[in-house]
Amino acid sequence: MSMSKPVMKEILQRAKNILDEYLNDQNLRKTAERYSVLEELYYLPQDEHIDVETLFLRMRNKEYTISRATVYNSIDLLVECGLVVKHNFKDKNALYEPALTYEHHDHLVCNNCLKIKEFLDPSIEEIKKRVGKSVGSEIKHHSLVFYGDCTIENCENLKRKEVVSS
Amino acid sequence: MSMSKPVMKEILQRAKNILDEYLNDQNLRKTAERYSVLEELYYLPQDEHIDVETLFLRMRNKEYTISRATVYNSIDLLVECGLVVKHNFKDKNALYEPALTYEHHDHLVCNNCLKIKEFLDPSIEEIKKRVGKSVGSEIKHHSLVFYGDCTIENCENLKRKEVVSS
DNA sequence: GTTACTGCAAATAGTTTGCACCTAG
DNA sequence: CTAGGTGCAAACTATTTGCAGTAAC
């Protein structure tokens, strides 16, 4: 709520402008709810991803009055206009994060504590180009997720059972 | 049902052996259902992925008597022992494919017709190694999905609306 | 004023669970 | 014989939908 680093404010402003433009172009209405959802998502600290229900409850606990349905609708719209990214990590429900906040990055999900880390390795772009050319597709987006066991000694919250498959 | 190329039979046999071993190790029972689900999945042609409901219906339409719950249970078990891979493609429900059938590959989902193509680009392995080393994680699996617009002229089934985000 | 958007509650879809019965070991 | 597994139906969870009321333009 008060965690507004200058950098963030600037990025949020950019995001709002893009949303303005998109709503204008598509003849959609500039409702308070759409901007609140955008703002709330852009206030997420780096490495944090949020699901609809949590976002809804978080907003309800603040000054906002918003319904679950509207959170779903707004967030979909934000994904459509490219301001928010949706992730479908294995065995989790959909998680969202702001798209403009940081450079493009991919994700590493810890098999043990289920925490999500972000990483960036530019050579994925080369693979995209190579594959796109070879199969005749103009690749627009990608999703790259690694699943690994962290090498941290006593990874605090081992939510998975010990049953390892081999 | 009768599409049993020699290669496939051989791979299926390998899969069955692995399942045998796994069930032995874990003191689980060798039920007919578990083997039927395995078989049915291994009969899928390349590039085809199947969801639980379709698999269930398909089995019901054959000689099998199996319940939905058992399909869910068995398929989970097959994923755990590494014989089947589960995918969570964007906006689709969980899809499964045999793990032993072909070399490891990744997927390209067409934004227009939603078809799934498979591709293989070995340099993803280098990224895995590099990232794993840098963040201190032993990366076990990965999921790489590209989303692109095919450059085929009149891609037959345009299921998506034309609304493009920019 | 008109029409899109919102909130609510009911509906849906995919998956999980509880429990009586069955069967592999 | 006796757990573990199966089938069925009911429960649950995430998301979508229908509709009456509200507000953006």
Side-chain angles (χ1 to χ4, degrees):
Chain A
M1 225 166 149
S2 54
M3 41 156 86
S4 33
K5 291 188 270 179
V7 184
M8 240 174 81
K9 274 208 162 145
E10 194 191 285
I11 293 179
L12 176 58
Q13 193 50 58
R14 256 175 67 215
K16 283 183 181 169
N17 293 342
I18 293 174
L19 181 53
D20 278 347
E21 208 179 313
Y22 181 78
L23 295 176
N24 279 334
D25 286 2
Q26 308 282 321
N27 274 305
L28 301 174
R29 292 184 182 166
K30 302 201 177 67
T31 66
E33 289 79 4
R34 288 171 174 169
Y35 288 89
S36 333
V37 170
L38 179 71
E39 205 159 302
E40 206 54 30
L41 279 162
Y42 272 74
Y43 281 155
L44 284 177
Q46 181 162 23
D47 265 46
E48 197 172 320
H49 305 71
I50 198 168
D51 62 280
V52 172
E53 187 64 15
T54 310
L55 180 60
F56 167 68
L57 293 175
R58 189 174 292 185
M59 292 183 76
R60 273 290 172 99
N61 288 333
K62 295 192 179 179
E63 72 272 26
Y64 307 111
T65 45
I66 194 168
S67 70
R68 207 174 258 105
T70 299
V71 176
Y72 275 103
N73 287 336
S74 308
I75 216 167
D76 278 359
L77 183 143
L78 295 174
V79 170
E80 266 166 42
C81 70
L83 288 170
V84 168
V85 182
K86 176 178 184 175
H87 296 288
N88 296 279
F89 296 122
K90 204 154 286 185
D91 301 327
K92 301 198 177 202
N93 38 12
L95 291 176
Y96 299 85
E97 67 173 334
L100 298 187
T101 330
Y102 312 100
E103 290 306 310
H104 173 79
H105 56 254
D106 294 301
H107 299 86
L108 166 66
V109 180
C110 177
N111 285 331
N112 302 322
C113 64
L114 301 185
K115 286 228 183 77
I116 298 166
K117 276 184 193 161
E118 303 184 342
F119 68 84
L120 176 63
D121 190 308
S123 57
I124 186 67
E125 295 304 327
E126 291 160 31
I127 301 185
K128 265 160 90 168
K129 271 183 215 147
R130 198 154 50 224
V131 171
K133 193 177 285 181
S134 96
V135 300
S137 175
E138 207 177 303
I139 296 173
K140 293 282 174 59
H141 304 287
H142 78 264
S143 149
L144 173 59
V145 187
F146 289 157
Y147 296 89
D149 299 339
C150 61
T151 47
I152 296 163
E153 273 314 308
N154 293 319
C155 184
E156 71 272 31
N157 41 350
L158 286 166
K159 281 176 186 150
R160 292 265 204 248
K161 47 190 174 310
E162 302 283 72
V163 186
V164 177
S165 35
S166 69
Chain B
M1 224 168 150
S2 55
M3 42 157 84
S4 33
K5 292 189 268 178
V7 184
M8 239 175 80
K9 273 206 163 148
E10 195 192 285
I11 293 179
L12 177 58
Q13 193 49 59
R14 255 177 66 216
K16 284 183 180 168
N17 292 342
I18 292 174
L19 181 53
D20 277 348
E21 209 180 312
Y22 180 78
L23 294 175
N24 278 335
D25 285 3
Q26 309 280 322
N27 274 307
L28 301 173
R29 292 183 183 169
K30 302 200 177 67
T31 65
E33 289 79 3
R34 288 171 174 169
Y35 287 89
S36 332
V37 170
L38 179 71
E39 207 160 300
E40 206 53 30
L41 278 162
Y42 272 74
Y43 280 155
L44 284 177
Q46 182 160 22
D47 264 44
E48 197 172 319
H49 304 73
I50 199 168
D51 61 280
V52 172
E53 188 64 15
T54 310
L55 180 61
F56 167 68
L57 293 174
R58 189 174 292 184
M59 291 183 77
R60 272 292 170 100
N61 287 334
K62 295 192 179 178
E63 74 272 27
Y64 306 112
T65 45
I66 194 169
S67 71
R68 208 173 256 107
T70 299
V71 175
Y72 275 103
N73 287 336
S74 307
I75 216 168
D76 279 359
L77 183 143
L78 295 174
V79 170
E80 266 166 45
C81 70
L83 288 170
V84 168
V85 181
K86 175 178 184 176
H87 297 288
N88 296 280
F89 297 122
K90 205 153 287 186
D91 302 326
K92 300 198 176 203
N93 40 11
L95 291 176
Y96 299 85
E97 67 174 334
L100 297 188
T101 329
Y102 312 100
E103 290 306 310
H104 173 80
H105 56 255
D106 294 300
H107 299 86
L108 166 66
V109 181
C110 177
N111 286 330
N112 303 321
C113 65
L114 300 186
K115 287 225 184 79
I116 298 167
K117 276 184 191 160
E118 302 184 342
F119 68 85
L120 176 61
D121 191 307
S123 58
I124 186 65
E125 294 303 328
E126 290 160 31
I127 301 185
K128 264 160 90 168
K129 272 184 214 145
R130 199 155 49 224
V131 171
K133 193 178 285 180
S134 96
V135 301
S137 173
E138 208 177 303
I139 297 172
K140 293 282 175 60
H141 304 288
H142 78 263
S143 151
L144 172 60
V145 187
F146 289 158
Y147 296 88
D149 299 338
C150 60
T151 47
I152 295 163
E153 273 314 308
N154 293 318
C155 184
E156 70 270 33
N157 41 350
L158 286 167
K159 281 177 187 151
R160 292 268 204 247
K161 45 187 177 294
E162 303 283 71
V163 186
V164 177
S165 35
S166 67

